[in-house]
Amino acid sequence: MSTVEFKDRVAIVTGAGGGLGRSHALALAARGVKVVVNDLGGSVDGTGGGSTMAENVVAEIIAAGGEAIANGANVTKEDEVQAMVDEAIAKWGHIDILVNNAGILRDKSFSKMTLADWDLVVAVHLRGSATCTKAVWNHMKERGYGRIVMTTSSSGMYGNFGQTNYGAAKAGLSGFMRTLCLEGAKYDIRINTLSPTARSRMTENLMPEDILEKLTVESVSAGLVYLVCDDAPNRMILCAGAGGYSETKVVETQGINLAEGDQTPENVAKFIDQIRSMEGAEEFTNGGQQGTKFLTRIQKGEFMV
Ligand SMILES: NC(=O)c1ccc[n+]([C@@H]2O[C@H](COP(=O)([O-])OP(=O)(O)OC[C@H]3O[C@@H](n4cnc5c(N)ncnc54)[C@H](O)[C@@H]3O)[C@@H](O)[C@H]2O)c1
């Protein structure tokens, strides 16, 4: 069984001025992790800003006996993110954990969405996570240690009406994780993705009170703490909400091979049930394995017709 321990660890939690990020920061600090509480302090749609939200969380952590500093960097701005990383290293000597949590919403049906709404949501979630990850990446490589979490959403995996921009950005994060895992493996940098469901200002008006009160941020942070501990898993999408925990996996069906001359749309239609059948579905750990599967069958002469 894995243990949940933190040996002299320093974490950056983005968007930690409220909601899930605040809860993650408090939970890590309670386990002795020193925390950079980052938050731009804007509203749900990404407008406005201020440093009070992050400072309040730092005050809570210090009052509880923990160590933390506030930071108001905008995760989309390279120079501000680099200054945040430099400040943490100057103060505590190293960064071991990055929790990419900051996010905004600009929900609208696709026909009504402007490309400016698209760009901003993708910039904060996807590029913002890349910007923060880039700023700690070489430092983690040099130290031979790192734990990084991306925050996705059920919208990114299954879709949600009115969230094409958000869904695309959130799906991008799990793709980002899978390739980053390959590049970080040699340096003990483990990257996981959290898919939360929790009461926050983002979800406050979406559900009735009796449901919202079950959706505690603390239940999600229990999963987050496990994803960044010394004995963390790697490449996992952990779903957490209302005390429920599960894993989303990307798997591929066995499918079929058609011989040259038989590779027609009509034959794809004819064998669509076998192509889609989940029997023998497998999870790959890199993209090349898909090609290998198809080519191995050609070598063995395994064709449908
Ligand atoms: N609450 C849910 O049920 C739910 C579901 C799926 C995914 N999520 C994801 O969880 C994360 C946290 O969301 P939440 O529900 O706690 O909402 P929230 O609005 O309370 O938290 C997001 C925080 O990010 C900060 N932020 C926004 N843009 C920033 C920027 N450019 N730089 C730095 N900070 C910035 C905000 O000020 C805010 O405090 C988000 O990525 C969200 O998409 C939440």
Side-chain angles (χ1 to χ4, degrees), residues 155-219:
S155 301
M157 296 180 288
Y158 311 116
N160 198 20
F161 192 96
Q163 293 196 319
T164 47
N165 50 2
Y166 182 76
K170 289 306 202 187
L173 284 164
S174 51
F176 178 32
M177 168 189 77
R178 283 187 206 99
T179 289
L180 206 53
C181 279
L182 298 172
E183 297 187 14
K186 199 160 92 174
Y187 309 98
D188 194 20
I189 306 178
R190 302 181 202 175
I191 305 109
N192 294 286
T193 298
L194 181 68
S195 178
T197 307
R199 175 184 209 152
S200 77
R201 65 183 196 173
M202 268 193 193
T203 53
E204 195 69 61
N205 302 318
L206 303 180
M207 285 166 268
E209 180 60 31
D210 57 328
I211 294 183
L212 283 171
E213 71 187 22
K214 305 245 182 322
L215 291 170
T216 64
V217 286
E218 291 80 8
S219 67

Side-chain angles (χ1 to χ4, degrees), residues 63-97:
E67 279 188 73
I69 53 172
N71 179 278
N74 180 335
V75 295
T76 66
K77 303 243 163 88
E78 260 179 271
D79 54 340
E80 295 181 17
V81 168
Q82 190 59 56
M84 167 173 74
V85 166
D86 292 346
E87 189 189 345
I89 294 173
K91 182 161 176 68
W92 290 314
H94 49 101
I95 297 168
D96 311 282
I97 297 166

Side-chain angles (χ1 to χ4, degrees), residues 14-22 24 38-44 46 53 72-76 100-105 124-125 151-155 166 170 194-203 207 215 217:
T14 69
L20 285 160
R22 169 183 166 273
H24 298 339
N38 159 268
D39 206 293
L40 179 65
S43 55
V44 177
M53 284 171 77
N74 180 335
V75 295
T76 66
N100 288 304
N101 167 81
I104 59 163
L105 291 178
V124 175
H125 291 275
T151 305
T152 188
S153 163
S154 54
S155 301
Y166 182 76
K170 289 306 202 187
L194 181 68
S195 178
T197 307
R199 175 184 209 152
S200 77
R201 65 183 196 173
M202 268 193 193
T203 53
M207 285 166 268
L215 291 170
V217 286

